[in-house]
């Protein structure tokens, strides 16, 4: 069951990357509103790269739904006595339903401004839940010798605060882009606007960067303690590097005018960061033997 759970998480990660490319390349309307078909056809015109990207994403959704359902049902059937597994499995099913409904409405409504923010939110939360579910199925425990449990738990609480703010930042960043507030700030024309006020656009942008500073400080804190106690050292550094990379790419987007390549990279790094953060929390909650400390 562990391997299948990891496979499900990996497929979800790929689906999110593909979904990010759909948004970044403005391919969301390439297949029209005839979901799950593409422009009413099973075999659409593939000479248009927008159609290829959007239809590939639509075909990925049924596979993801099937894997997530089997993964959750299998986890509950084999580990129903473990409360954490049961709760995470049920949550994954709930998020799958919500994400599918939001994605479907997003297509049927013609991608209204700001609505994609909900799609991004549920997708990222689903990915995080699946990462945690994979870790909850592990039986191996890791002991931290000669350390203080209170100090270790404090470092993880600091990380949890920073990572929680990071998840909020993803939602804020998605809203900044999909509400066309980024277009207002960068003075780039948009087809539809949800936010037209430059003051509001600046406020959202400022909150986004304030959150980045807080997340960065919490990430440094965690790197220091992870290195000291020699637990999650590699993941702590990867998390810090991904946070820095996100900030750099975000700056490039502002400087260059929100180009497709930079925007796509920004979304991909955000998704990778979610996986890394979920792995850190999963290892702490489900693989760390607290009795050995």
């Amino acid at each position: 069951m562990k391997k299948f759970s990891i496979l499900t998480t990996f497929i979800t990660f790929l689906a999110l990357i593909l979904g990010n490319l759909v948004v970044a390349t403005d391919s969301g309307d390439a297949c029209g509103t005839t979901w799950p078909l593409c422009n009413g056809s099973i075999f659409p015109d593939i000479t248009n790269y927008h159609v290829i990207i959007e239809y590939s994403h639509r075909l990925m959704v049924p596979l993801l739904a099937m894997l997530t359902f089997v993964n959750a049902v299998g986890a509950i059937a084999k580990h129903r006595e473990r409360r954490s597994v049961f709760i995470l499995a049920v949550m994954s099913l709930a998020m799958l339903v919500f994400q599918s409904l939001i994605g479907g409405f997003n297509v049927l409504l013609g991608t209204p401004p700001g609505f994609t923010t909900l799609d991004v939110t549920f997708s990222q939360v689903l990915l995080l839940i699946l990462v945690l579910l994979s870790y909850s199925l592990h039986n191996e425990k890791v002991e931290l010798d000669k350390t203080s449990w209170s100090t270790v738990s404090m470092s993880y609480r600091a990380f949890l605060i920073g990572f929680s703010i990071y998840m909020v930042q993803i939602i804020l960043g998605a809203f900044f882009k999909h509400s066309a507030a980024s277009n207002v700030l960068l003075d780039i024309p948009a087809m539809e606007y949800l936010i037209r006020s430059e003051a509001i656009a600046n406020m959202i942008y400022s909150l986004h960067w304030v959150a980045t500073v807080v997340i960065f400080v919490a990430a440094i804190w965690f790197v220091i303690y992870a290195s000291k106690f020699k637990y999650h050292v590699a993941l702590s550094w990867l998390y810090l590097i991904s946070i820095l990379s996100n900030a750099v790419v975000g700056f490039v987007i502002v400087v260059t005018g929100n180009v497709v390549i930079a925007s796509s990279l920004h979304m991909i790094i955000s998704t990778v960061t979610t996986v890394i953060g979920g792995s850190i929390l999963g290892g702490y909650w489900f693989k760390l033997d607290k009795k050995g400390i």
Side-chain angles (χ1 to χ4, degrees):
M1 200 65 228
K2 289 187 298 183
K3 292 181 179 179
F4 189 85
S5 183
I6 293 173
L7 173 64
T8 303
T9 303
F10 180 70
I11 295 299
T12 304
F13 173 78
L14 292 181
L16 262 65
I17 295 299
L18 198 55
N20 289 338
L21 291 177
V22 170
V23 174
T25 58
D26 292 323
S27 301
D29 297 325
C31 284
T33 58
T34 55
W35 184 84
L37 301 178
C38 185
N39 295 320
S41 176
I42 299 177
F43 303 103
D45 177 20
I46 59 173
T47 59
N48 186 332
Y49 79 93
H50 289 292
V51 171
I52 295 176
I53 294 174
E54 168 62 7
Y55 197 41
S56 297
H57 182 247
R58 290 193 182 189
L59 291 177
M60 180 74 80
V61 171
L63 174 62
L64 173 61
M66 180 187 68
L67 290 176
T68 303
F69 178 79
V70 173
N71 183 53
V73 172
I76 293 174
K78 291 188 176 183
H79 303 279
R80 64 173 62 90
E81 73 284 353
R82 294 164 65 173
R83 185 180 179 185
S84 59
V85 172
F86 179 82
I87 292 175
L88 289 169
V90 172
M91 288 177 64
S92 70
L93 289 175
M95 283 300 110
L96 176 65
V97 172
F98 285 129
Q99 198 275 333
S100 298
L101 289 174
I102 292 299
F105 280 124
N106 199 28
V107 172
L108 295 174
L109 295 175
T111 318
F115 197 81
T116 305
T117 303
L118 295 175
D119 197 0
V120 173
T121 301
F122 285 114
S123 296
Q124 292 288 336
V125 172
L126 173 61
L127 179 61
L128 177 59
I129 290 172
L130 289 175
V131 172
L132 294 176
L133 178 57
S134 296
Y135 272 88
S136 70
L137 294 171
H138 287 204
N139 295 317
E140 300 84 2
K141 294 291 184 179
V142 176
E143 293 187 5
L144 294 179
D145 298 327
K146 299 179 180 180
T147 60
S148 167
W149 167 244
S150 60
T151 304
V152 173
S153 60
M154 180 181 66
S155 69
Y156 277 93
R157 282 197 295 269
F159 169 80
L160 181 58
I161 292 173
F163 186 62
S164 298
I165 295 175
Y166 169 77
M167 295 301 293
V168 173
Q169 185 196 43
I170 291 180
I171 300 171
L172 190 64
F175 181 75
F176 181 68
K177 175 177 174 57
H178 301 303
S179 65
S182 59
N183 295 73
V184 173
L185 188 64
L186 298 172
D187 196 26
I188 300 175
M191 295 296 294
E192 296 179 281
Y193 292 88
L194 183 62
I195 301 295
R196 290 183 175 273
S197 170
E198 186 174 348
I200 295 177
N202 269 302
M203 181 186 69
I204 297 173
Y205 181 71
S206 298
L207 287 174
H208 189 271
W209 277 102
V210 169
T212 299
V213 173
V214 176
I215 295 165
F216 179 66
V217 171
I220 292 178
W221 174 287
F222 186 70
V223 165
I224 293 172
Y225 277 89
S227 300
K228 180 178 180 181
F229 297 119
K230 301 187 185 305
Y231 185 68
H232 274 157
V233 178
L235 283 175
S236 67
W237 278 103
L238 285 174
Y239 178 72
L240 177 60
I241 291 171
S242 66
I243 294 297
L244 283 173
S245 300
N246 242 336
V248 171
V249 174
F251 180 75
V252 170
I253 290 175
V254 174
V255 172
T256 59
N258 204 12
V259 295
V260 171
I261 295 178
S263 181
S264 300
L265 187 59
H266 189 54
M267 293 178 179
I268 291 172
I269 294 174
S270 296
T271 305
V272 171
T273 306
T274 299
V275 173
I276 296 172
S279 298
I280 292 173
L281 288 179
Y284 173 63
W285 285 336
F286 304 116
K287 292 188 69 176
L288 180 61
D289 186 2
K290 302 175 180 63
K291 295 180 180 179
I293 299 177

